[in-house]
Amino acid sequence: MPYPLIDIGANLTHDSFAEDLPEVLARAEAVGVERLVVTGSSDQGNIDAAELADAYPGRLYATAGVHPHHAADYTDASDELIRSLLLRKSVVAVGECGLDYFRNFSPRDAQIEAFRSQLDIAVDTKMPVFLHQRDAHEEFVKILEPLLAKIPRAVAHCFTGDGAALDDYLKLDLYIGITGWICDERRGLHLQEIVGEIPDDRLLIETDAPYLMPRTLNPKPDSRRNEPHYLPEVLRIVAAARGQSEEQVAAITTANAIRFFELG
Ligand SMILES: [Zn+2]
């Protein structure tokens, strides 16, 4: 029997899933990935994610937020849309939101403003936040820290940083989302050394599908599209790196996801 798992970050509204989502979900379920949180990252993406979650009650959930790449498009209407979607039972967190100074697809000022606005939504609605950060650690912490006391829970999704960044996040009591980045022998091996520092009650796992195919899969899949079906590979590498059994890591990460998103 596979272990029940929850993929806390899957971009299932991505075009690449348009043709075969029912099959994708069936493959995921067959390996224990029973529940998934669909990431919302733009106005239309938020609507699509919420509609998808409503179509699979108890199975799919959604976040509602604007990714820093789209921060230049963040308007009052975006803000109102997020707030209205959060009233739905299936929409369980604000985000993804944060800062991405790696690509700077949106100007930094716009990123900061959109990030602050979404943190305000989390404060007002008392909902958890799903955070994205790349190459912006110091500014990100500076903005986030003063508001955290008023936000119930926060996860640094797709954590790829170093030990110092992890220490900072753990001091802030963030949950940490680990993706298949940890399976990447070119750029993710440092994560295998530090993932054991995450306390049991702060660890979450995610695929970030269709991105970040775990490179440790053997044989390598024919398609380059990552799927929630490969979450057990992230579990396997995380468990080995932490010196825990897969069963144990499955149990703690699933319990954490249920608590974090109040999935019941
Ligand atoms: Zn992200």
Side-chain angles (χ1 to χ4, degrees):
M1 274 293 286
Y3 313 117
L5 299 174
I6 300 174
D7 186 347
I8 67 141
N11 302 282
L12 296 184
T13 62
H14 190 274
D15 289 346
S16 64
F17 293 116
E19 301 298 319
D20 65 343
L21 188 63
E23 288 87 347
V24 167
L25 293 176
R27 275 196 290 276
E29 186 162 26
V31 296
V33 184
E34 294 177 347
R35 290 188 271 184
L36 305 94
V37 182
V38 181
T39 309
S41 59
S42 65
D43 291 350
Q44 189 57 48
N46 291 334
I47 294 169
D48 294 346
E51 279 179 5
L52 197 56
D54 282 342
Y56 293 87
R59 181 90 203 286
L60 297 186
Y61 303 86
T63 68
V66 172
H67 191 285
H69 289 345
H70 306 301
D73 303 326
Y74 194 91
T75 61
D76 288 349
S78 312
D79 205 272
E80 279 163 35
L81 175 65
I82 295 168
R83 287 174 190 267
S84 71
L85 290 172
L86 286 167
L87 297 172
R88 298 196 197 187
K89 207 168 164 249
S90 58
V91 180
V92 291
V94 179
E96 61 182 297
C97 60
L99 301 177
D100 193 315
Y101 292 176
F102 178 64
R103 296 195 200 269
N104 286 309
F105 285 151
S106 281
R108 293 184 179 191
D109 288 355
Q111 291 192 36
I112 290 169
E113 202 177 317
F115 184 30
R116 285 190 198 280
S117 298
Q118 291 175 83
L119 292 175
D120 285 344
I121 296 176
V123 170
D124 293 346
T125 59
K126 305 202 165 39
M127 295 291 283
V129 279
F130 189 88
L131 299 164
H132 172 105
Q133 186 278 120
R134 195 152 176 211
D135 284 4
H137 180 73
E138 280 175 33
E139 186 118 45
F140 176 83
V141 168
K142 205 171 83 191
I143 294 169
L144 182 63
E145 188 169 19
L147 292 166
L148 275 176
K150 295 184 237 165
I151 295 173
R153 291 168 301 284
V155 57
H157 123 86
C158 191
F159 178 79
T160 58
D162 61 12
L166 181 61
D167 285 348
D168 286 347
Y169 286 176
L170 293 175
K171 277 189 205 120
L172 295 176
D173 204 25
L174 300 193
Y175 286 69
I176 309 294
I178 300 291
T179 61
W181 195 284
I182 196 171
C183 306
D184 189 329
E185 79 290 352
R186 303 162 305 178
R187 57 185 186 176
L189 290 183
H190 69 287
L191 288 177
Q192 296 187 20
E193 283 158 32
I194 60 177
V195 72
E197 292 167 24
I198 302 170
D200 279 356
D201 64 357
R202 287 295 176 268
L203 179 67
L204 294 164
I205 55 173
E206 49 177 331
T207 59
D208 208 24
Y211 314 111
L212 304 180
M213 174 79 85
R215 286 174 58 90
T216 45
L217 284 169
N218 188 15
K220 290 208 186 309
D222 294 333
S223 167
R224 290 176 59 191
R225 181 185 71 174
N226 190 16
E227 290 185 20
H229 165 69
Y230 298 123
L231 188 63
E233 181 65 5
V234 178
L235 172 76
R236 185 177 78 81
I237 299 295
V238 168
R242 287 170 66 87
Q244 292 174 313
S245 68
E246 288 172 45
E247 184 175 15
Q248 192 178 2
V249 174
I252 63 177
T253 53
T254 297
N256 291 343
I258 290 170
R259 185 173 66 252
F260 185 90
F261 295 107
E262 295 192 84
L263 302 186

